[in-house]
Amino acid sequence: MKDSPTQSHVLQLSHPPIPVVRIGIIGLGNRGLLTLQRYLQIEGIEINALCEIREGNLAKAQQLLKENNRPGATGYTGPEGWKKMCEHDELDIVFICTDWLMHTAMATFAMECNKHVAIEVPAAMSVEECWQLVDTAEKTRRHCIMLENCCYDPFALTTLNMARQGILGTIMHVEGAYIHDLRSMYFAEESEGGYHNHWGKRYSIEHTGNPYPTHGLGPACQILDIHRGDKMEYLVSMSTHQAGMSEYARKKFGKDSPEARQEYKLGDVNTTLIHTAKGKTIMLQYDVCTPRPYSRLQTVCGTLGFAQKYPVPCIALEPNGDTPLEGKALEEVLSRYKHPFSATIGEEAHRRGLPNEMNYVMDYRLIYCLRNGLPLDMDVYDAAEWSCITELSEKSVLNGSIPVEIPDFTRGAWKTR
């Protein structure tokens, strides 16, 4: 634990209402352009600044503004363009949609420029970077939110609502995952939908563990009240050896190709177990290199009930816990405990024909809270706690799956919140 006697926590941080939220976006690749498109659907915002090292993508973003009858934004490019953008006077919040390795540096600089920040996942790649986010947010008193959209998944919100109402009893164990075959993206060129400079593949060459824990971990931590009455204490992690990337490369490029001869440290399947201060457990899985059907597991085990989203929604409740609800009985429970966010904002997304409900709910909630001077749904401690699993899982894997302590980024404040 780090001591910071001159700083106080930013749990439940709020600011005066911002009637029109002025946005700047750094990174206009695949995710950044999608972020821009999404926020053009949200009321009460202005897109005032855009930053991208590839001028062609910057031009695409400006064209999107024009097509949506929005004024052009101030554009920034070049290696240091993002710093100049953060210094822009007419911004309230900076969105960071670059590759993982730049997230923390950009976020801390933006907060030091008195901007709130919204960071794509994961927010940081090391424990040291997680502390940098926390320390900077506490020092500057700026919002720092990680854009973990899976926390707004309709099923995750429904089970959260059921847990809050005691329907599932005492929650004892939860499971989350990111299972998504991404090999075609890892080997594709950027023009074909791949990563810029193959940064995802390059990370797989150099690291192991679970580099992308937050999709599964976010909903799990929320339902367990992590840093809201409980905390993650320690983890153990193990990985299989690597085979999926090499086999894919051999089929696509040939067995003697440089791609097929490349060695990768990242095991195909990582499993991480986490123990909390109150004796609860979390299981996380990561697998982007095998042909498994997409899944985030989203499993909740309580003393009075069980819920799981994948492969199909399943809910079982006492006194018939060994018999999952089916048909109308399942639909009735899902309807009865639909979270207010899903019932209002989510339904609006459907009425408007928007393609991704959980993205819209996340975006709407962020801007709504800023415009109304409310604490955000997720804070810098969520960003740090969920992201630190990247380094800690690797540390455990490389040391024979030893237990590894998880820092208390709230410095004890979780006990009283």
Side-chain angles (χ1 to χ4, degrees):
M1 180 187 296
K2 289 192 175 184
D3 294 322
S4 185
T6 62
Q7 293 177 192
S8 59
H9 69 71
V10 287
L11 294 167
Q12 295 297 103
L13 176 70
S14 62
H15 279 264
I18 306 172
V20 177
V21 180
R22 301 169 301 176
I23 292 173
I25 302 175
I26 306 174
L28 296 165
N30 293 336
R31 193 64 181 171
L33 287 173
L34 289 173
T35 298
L36 174 59
Q37 290 175 323
R38 296 199 326 262
Y39 277 86
L40 290 173
Q41 309 297 320
I42 304 292
E43 293 184 2
I45 67 100
E46 292 177 354
I47 306 295
N48 281 7
L50 298 168
C51 178
E52 170 59 46
I53 57 174
R54 294 152 292 181
E55 295 188 13
N57 284 359
L58 181 59
K60 290 179 184 178
Q62 297 284 20
Q63 182 62 28
L64 275 173
L65 293 177
K66 183 178 180 180
E67 291 171 357
N68 285 271
N69 299 313
R70 301 273 186 149
T74 303
Y76 297 88
T77 190
E80 297 293 306
W82 62 272
K83 290 186 177 180
K84 295 177 181 178
M85 197 202 84
C86 291
E87 294 168 345
H88 191 292
D89 289 335
E90 297 183 0
L91 292 181
D92 299 303
I93 186 168
V94 171
F95 283 73
I96 299 168
C97 304
T98 63
D99 68 83
W100 300 337
L101 300 180
M102 292 299 294
H103 287 179
T104 298
M106 291 177 171
T108 53
F109 187 83
M111 285 188 280
E112 288 167 350
C113 292
N114 291 317
K115 309 300 192 295
H116 303 302
V117 294
I119 317 170
E120 271 297 339
V121 299
M125 298 304 290
S126 69
V127 172
E128 180 181 358
E129 287 189 343
C130 291
W131 277 115
Q132 289 174 18
L133 291 176
V134 169
D135 289 341
T136 306
E138 291 180 349
K139 179 180 68 175
T140 62
R141 318 307 289 176
R142 297 293 102 184
H143 288 302
C144 178
I145 183 173
M146 182 169 61
L147 297 169
E148 185 39 82
N149 58 355
C150 294
C151 291
Y152 299 91
D153 174 272
F155 189 86
L157 287 173
T158 295
T159 54
L160 179 64
N161 196 29
M162 293 176 72
R164 292 287 182 268
Q165 297 190 40
I167 305 304
L168 300 175
T170 302
I171 308 301
M172 302 302 297
H173 174 78
V174 291
E175 299 177 3
Y178 187 61
I179 298 169
H180 188 186
D181 187 355
L182 295 178
R183 290 174 295 174
S184 62
M185 285 185 63
Y186 279 178
F187 287 100
E189 296 302 321
E190 186 175 3
S191 60
E192 302 168 336
Y195 295 100
H196 177 58
N197 287 336
H198 297 284
W199 61 263
K201 184 175 69 174
R202 285 191 286 110
Y203 192 88
S204 301
I205 293 170
E206 299 170 359
H207 295 277
T208 187
N210 182 340
Y212 202 67
T214 70
H215 281 344
L217 189 56
C221 285
Q222 290 196 332
I223 207 165
L224 288 180
D225 294 324
I226 296 301
H227 87 245
R228 299 162 175 85
D230 199 357
K231 71 175 290 289
M232 296 188 289
E233 269 191 330
Y234 64 89
L235 64 77
V236 294
S237 185
M238 62 182 65
S239 294
T240 68
H241 69 85
Q242 186 283 133
M245 293 280 277
S246 296
E247 290 184 11
Y248 183 90
R250 282 195 291 271
K251 292 176 182 177
K252 183 175 177 64
F253 302 103
K255 65 178 182 178
D256 296 322
S257 64
E259 291 86 354
R261 293 197 304 269
Q262 178 65 59
E263 294 184 1
Y264 299 90
K265 290 184 179 179
L266 188 69
D268 285 1
V269 181
N270 174 270
T271 302
T272 299
L273 297 174
I274 300 170
H275 191 271
T276 79
K278 291 193 172 181
K280 313 300 176 63
T281 54
I282 303 169
M283 187 199 80
L284 285 181
Q285 277 203 332
Y286 175 79
D287 175 4
V288 298
C289 295
T290 70
R292 293 167 69 180
Y294 181 90
S295 175
R296 299 196 305 275
L297 294 182
Q298 290 187 218
T299 303
V300 182
C301 304
T303 56
L304 297 178
F306 170 88
Q308 180 170 283
K309 179 173 180 177
Y310 295 92
V312 294
C314 174
I315 292 177
L317 301 172
E318 288 286 277
N320 301 305
D322 59 346
T323 306
L325 299 174
E326 296 180 344
K328 290 184 177 180
L330 176 60
E331 292 176 7
E332 193 277 331
V333 168
L334 291 173
S335 176
R336 186 193 318 168
Y337 296 108
K338 179 180 282 190
H339 194 282
F341 289 175
S342 300
T344 54
I345 312 167
E347 287 301 315
E348 179 184 341
H350 292 300
R351 286 194 301 271
R352 297 177 61 182
L354 299 176
N356 190 309
E357 175 184 339
M358 62 187 190
N359 275 344
Y360 183 73
V361 176
M362 175 182 70
D363 301 337
Y364 184 102
R365 280 292 301 170
L366 172 55
I367 300 304
Y368 180 89
C369 290
L370 291 173
R371 295 184 70 195
N372 289 274
L374 300 173
L376 305 187
D377 295 339
M378 297 176 285
D379 58 31
V380 70
Y381 305 109
D382 293 314
E385 290 160 2
W386 306 348
S387 298
C388 78
I389 304 305
T390 295
E391 179 186 0
L392 300 182
S393 63
E394 181 174 31
K395 183 177 180 179
S396 181
V397 169
L398 293 176
N399 288 278
S401 301
I402 62 169
V404 177
E405 182 181 2
I406 299 173
D408 175 10
F409 292 101
T410 73
R411 302 181 178 92
W414 65 272
K415 299 176 184 178
T416 57
R417 181 174 177 185

